[in-house]
Amino acid sequence: MRNLQIEVRQVLREEATRTTVPSTGTARNKTRANAATAYQQVLVLNGQRARIALRNSMPLRLVQTFVHNGALVVVPGTVLMEAGTGFEVTPRWDGQNQVELELAAAQGKGTYHGQTASTSTLLVLPLEEWVTVAESANETAGTHAGLAGTANWDTQTGTEVQIRVSVH
């Protein structure tokens, strides 16, 4: 049995695009920003369960990963996870360059005797690399017309929950 270190970070990302159409031509300005908003690490024995608490209380979509022809494929899932409840992880490492990670999340309180709904997904992650396991997204857009021309703007913000597993 080996100890596995599981690091979790929440990354706030923002991408903004502003397009102006003055009478003389078109100008496009695009900016991106990423900032880590929370970080945790836990040490757990291979095959044992660890609890991760998330800081934000927004719904997050779980991401699924699998290996196809030797390449890691990431697929956005459709299950919503209430971030304030956190999740449990169970890593299983067989000595190779990848770790199998079971991620189980509670989905808030139900109406029947206060029970919570839960979901789980199985991820295959490369060791020592940050991988997004859950995400949220919000998009806003608008247009402003004036005497000098028209300005369109589009802002996409979101939070990603990323995990990195290493052997210790």
Side-chain angles (χ1 to χ4, degrees), residues 103-151:
L103 190 142
Q107 293 181 293
K109 292 188 178 182
T111 57
Y112 185 69
H113 296 286
Q115 294 179 346
T116 59
S118 64
T119 187
S120 66
T121 187
L122 193 59
L123 308 169
V124 177
L125 308 177
L127 285 174
E128 305 285 339
E129 291 184 31
W130 287 104
V131 176
T132 299
V133 297
E135 58 188 8
S136 71
N138 186 23
E139 184 173 345
T140 56
T143 301
H144 176 57
L147 294 174
T150 303

Side-chain angles (χ1 to χ4, degrees), residues 2 4 46-47 91-100 127 167:
R2 296 288 304 260
L4 298 173
N46 188 15
R92 291 178 191 90
W93 179 62
D94 64 0
Q96 302 299 314
N97 292 331
Q98 297 171 334
V99 62
E100 184 180 276
L127 285 174
V167 179

Side-chain angles (χ1 to χ4, degrees), residues 22-123:
S23 56
T24 59
T26 300
R28 184 178 200 110
N29 183 15
K30 191 173 206 173
T31 59
R32 287 186 182 170
N34 289 329
T37 59
Y39 175 84
Q40 305 180 55
Q41 68 181 19
V42 295
L43 199 58
V44 63
L45 279 173
N46 188 15
Q48 299 298 309
R49 189 170 283 218
R51 177 97 176 123
I52 305 293
L54 295 179
R55 195 171 171 188
N56 299 330
S57 61
M58 69 183 74
L60 299 166
R61 282 189 315 270
L62 289 178
V63 175
Q64 299 173 349
T65 63
F66 61 93
V67 177
H68 180 69
N69 291 336
L72 186 66
V73 178
V74 178
V75 179
T78 56
V79 176
L80 292 180
M81 176 176 66
E82 183 63 35
T85 60
F87 56 92
E88 292 181 343
V89 292
T90 306
R92 291 178 191 90
W93 179 62
D94 64 0
Q96 302 299 314
N97 292 331
Q98 297 171 334
V99 62
E100 184 180 276
L101 189 70
E102 180 183 350
L103 190 142
Q107 293 181 293
K109 292 188 178 182
T111 57
Y112 185 69
H113 296 286
Q115 294 179 346
T116 59
S118 64
T119 187
S120 66
T121 187
L122 193 59
L123 308 169

Side-chain angles (χ1 to χ4, degrees), residues 3-7 43 99 127-128 164-168:
N3 282 327
L4 298 173
Q5 179 175 292
I6 300 173
E7 298 170 271
L43 199 58
V99 62
L127 285 174
E128 305 285 339
R164 179 170 63 183
V165 180
S166 54
V167 179
H168 280 265

